[in-house]
Amino acid sequence: MNTNKYLNFGYLSLIPVTFGIIISTSVVNAATLPQDNTFCLNPKPYELAEGKSTNEEQIELKVNGMTCGACSKSVKSALLRVTGVKDAVVSHEEGKAVVIIEKGKAKTDEIIKAIEQAGFSASKN
């Protein structure tokens, strides 16, 4: 009977150890998953199929002052508020923004001004 009692206690002591292993592996997995703000900018991420015409234009800008993913998101949201901007891809790692606009609806100066109002500096590549 006494051995059975110690055997049950041994199994009970494994419960906290098991939870510790589960929690530590989930923390490691969460820390190593790619974050939303990391992307790789190709030279022309919005390259159009050859032979198709569109009224979209691509503007590449150098953006200074971005240090993290939150900076990239701030710049992107500022860009998307500009009239005529259809989409934007911003990378703080490369210090670059690629902006897709409708031809004739947005000017580069307006786009740069929006980035500067967000607290960063920008220039045409």
Side-chain angles (χ1 to χ4, degrees):
M1 278 267 171
N2 286 340
T3 58
N4 211 5
K5 179 173 142 183
Y6 293 116
L7 187 62
N8 289 337
F9 179 73
Y11 284 125
L12 288 176
S13 65
L14 289 177
I15 292 172
V17 172
T18 305
F19 281 122
I21 292 170
I22 292 170
I23 290 171
S24 64
T25 55
S26 64
V27 168
V28 168
N29 287 339
T32 58
L33 290 175
Q35 300 299 316
D36 190 26
N37 58 11
T38 59
F39 354 14
C40 178
L41 290 178
N42 294 329
K44 298 201 178 202
Y46 291 96
E47 197 167 337
L48 302 172
E50 204 170 311
K52 290 188 176 183
S53 67
T54 182
N55 74 2
E56 290 182 354
E57 193 176 334
Q58 177 175 309
I59 299 173
E60 286 190 29
L61 299 172
K62 181 179 178 185
V63 182
N64 296 317
M66 295 188 297
T67 58
C68 63
C71 296
S72 300
K73 289 181 183 182
S74 296
V75 170
K76 182 174 181 169
S77 65
L79 290 170
L80 293 176
R81 286 192 295 266
V82 175
T83 305
V85 173
K86 294 183 87 178
D87 197 10
V89 178
V90 182
S91 171
H92 71 279
E93 294 161 338
E94 296 181 25
K96 182 170 151 178
V98 179
V99 186
I100 306 303
I101 62 169
E102 294 180 45
K103 282 186 182 173
K105 297 231 177 173
K107 296 180 181 176
T108 306
D109 295 336
E110 295 172 346
I111 294 169
I112 290 174
K113 186 177 177 182
I115 293 172
E116 289 172 349
Q117 287 177 345
F120 304 93
S121 63
S123 61
K124 182 100 168 116
N125 266 353

